[in-house]
Amino acid sequence: MANKKPPADSDVLAGWVDPRINGGRFLDFTTPKFGEPLNVIISGRSDPYILSDEGFHHYAKSIGYSEECLGLHYGAIHEADLGDGEGRRDEMFLARQYYFPIWGTCWESFAGGHHFRAWKQNGTTANSGAWFIGASKEEHSQKHHKITENGYNEGRDWLVENAVAGTYYKGIWWKAEVEFREGLLEPGNNGVNHGIEQDGFVAILTVNRL
């Protein structure tokens, strides 16, 4: 811990802190050797409600996701280190594309589609409150839910498109602003799970309540 320094106030005020400052990274830990990109950040400057666990679940539903089929978890638990002093932590939320009105997320578990994993940056060395998200698109169950050929970019872009279009849930409306940032993720497939290339862009969303 001696070599870990709290982030500058300006980092937290920006709504998120680069995990690499304190030894984290923008790939999660899927296997001992490979990870999946954390390619979306919901900034801590967003509506405070969606920075809470309950609010984030509601916001996820507004942009086309929901909890796993029948509340059962399928697949491995991923870890991530957000450089906030908490080290590697298990995913806090796994959401799958909701196929309305029939089957819900159960259809995504069978037929494939979009999903994301999320972690909150709230440790003592980087308490930004931001959600770091690994979004992707996966194949159907007969292909063992492998990520599609361009699945990391497609998963990020689908989430972002829904967020910036404006969404609502239970009478609350939101609309996101987005900034695509280079230099946080290395483009390509070095260390990336399944060897699938991604473009290296991270989408930083600031979600405002309307």
Side-chain angles (χ1 to χ4, degrees), residues 89-110:
R89 289 192 290 173
D90 290 349
E91 62 199 49
M92 299 176 68
F93 184 32
L94 172 57
R96 297 188 181 278
Q97 184 177 352
Y98 187 82
Y99 288 89
F100 182 82
I102 301 173
W103 296 109
T105 57
C106 294
W107 186 251
E108 194 278 344
S109 296
F110 173 75

Side-chain angles (χ1 to χ4, degrees), residues 40-84:
V40 179
I41 299 171
I42 294 183
S43 162
R45 297 173 60 190
S46 299
D47 174 16
Y49 179 60
I50 70 168
L51 300 179
S52 70
D53 290 351
E54 178 186 63
F56 183 56
H57 282 235
H58 288 174
Y59 182 66
K61 290 179 179 179
S62 82
I63 57 174
Y65 301 86
S66 193
E67 290 84 0
E68 290 197 90
C69 176
L70 303 177
L72 301 175
H73 180 76
Y74 299 91
I77 299 292
H78 293 205
E79 297 178 333
D81 184 347
L82 302 185
D84 60 358

